[in-house]
């Protein structure tokens, strides 16, 4: 009964839009990633070089899932299975269907929300592996899974366009990744 209730609550917490082959139909957000200290050090160095200092850095990963063209929405059981695959075995509570980071108020010149993920022109090798794992687990309608990193960054100084560019450059690889100015609706 506990598993059924958990699966149903996940299905209700994760609203899904009508699906076509390119639409992101489900997002899962995960906090407490292993990259946090490395990213914080890279960002602090980049800001210091640009003449600014990091006040706070919060981050999460976003897993975007697209289903096959014409596939029905995931059942509660399948949504629960997908969440289990994304979450770490002993850290289920760190994975949610709701983002943990919210965009700052427009008047907040010291804080920015940055989302970085793979370039949209190709499916990543990570996605191919994630889809293979989903299909092996019985989630046959999963067509693509991509992961982005979301950062909520606050600096002691106002974030000028030059500082925003320095932040962006420090946190992504221009060859394989891009900044998403808005949450992705499709791949």
């Amino acid at each position: 009964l506990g598993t059924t209730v958990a699966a149903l609550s996940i299905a209700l917490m994760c609203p899904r839009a009508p699906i076509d082959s390119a639409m992101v139909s489900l997002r899962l957000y995960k906090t407490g990633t292993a990259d946090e200290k490395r990213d914080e050090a890279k960002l602090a160095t980049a800001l210091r070089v640009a003449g600014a200092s990091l006040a706070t850095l919060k981050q999460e990963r976003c897993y975007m899932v697209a289903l096959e063209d014409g596939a029905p929405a995931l059942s509660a059981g399948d949504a629960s299975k997908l969440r289990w695959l994304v979450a770490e075995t002993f850290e289920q509570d760190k994975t949610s269907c709701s983002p943990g980071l919210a965009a700052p108020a427009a008047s907040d010149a010291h804080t920015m929300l940055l989302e970085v993920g793979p370039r949209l022109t190709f499916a990543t090798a990570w996605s191919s592996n994630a889809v293979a794992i989903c299909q092996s687990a019985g989630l046959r309608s999963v067509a693509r899974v991509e992961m982005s990193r979301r950062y909520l960054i606050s600096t002691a100084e106002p974030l000028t366009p030059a500082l925003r560019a320095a932040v962006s450059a420090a946190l992504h690889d221009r060859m394989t990744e891009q900044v998403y100015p808005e949450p992705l609706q499709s791949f």
Side-chain angles (χ1 to χ4, degrees), residues 131-147:
V131 169
I133 291 167
C134 287
Q135 293 187 353
S136 292
L139 300 170
R140 303 262 182 244
S141 62
V142 173
R144 188 169 175 185
V145 180
E146 293 291 359
M147 178 185 63

Side-chain angles (χ1 to χ4, degrees), residues 55-73:
T56 62
L57 173 65
K58 296 179 183 176
Q59 46 187 306
E60 66 186 358
R61 290 184 182 164
C62 175
Y63 298 88
M64 299 162 285
V65 181
L67 301 181
E68 293 287 344
D69 187 23

Side-chain angles (χ1 to χ4, degrees), residues 102-181:
S107 61
D108 186 351
H110 296 263
T111 305
M112 68 183 281
L113 180 65
L114 176 72
E115 185 168 4
V116 174
R119 291 197 172 274
L120 300 178
T121 53
F122 61 93
T124 63
W126 186 91
S127 176
S128 298
N129 288 334
V131 169
I133 291 167
C134 287
Q135 293 187 353
S136 292
L139 300 170
R140 303 262 182 244
S141 62
V142 173
R144 188 169 175 185
V145 180
E146 293 291 359
M147 178 185 63
S148 66
R149 298 180 316 278
R150 301 180 74 223
Y151 302 94
L152 187 63
I153 302 152
S154 295
T155 58
E157 300 75 19
L159 284 158
T160 63
L163 283 178
R164 289 176 184 274
V167 165
S168 174
L171 294 175
H172 85 287
D173 175 1
R174 291 184 353 197
M175 294 296 290
T176 60
E177 297 176 317
Q178 70 184 67
V179 172
Y180 302 150

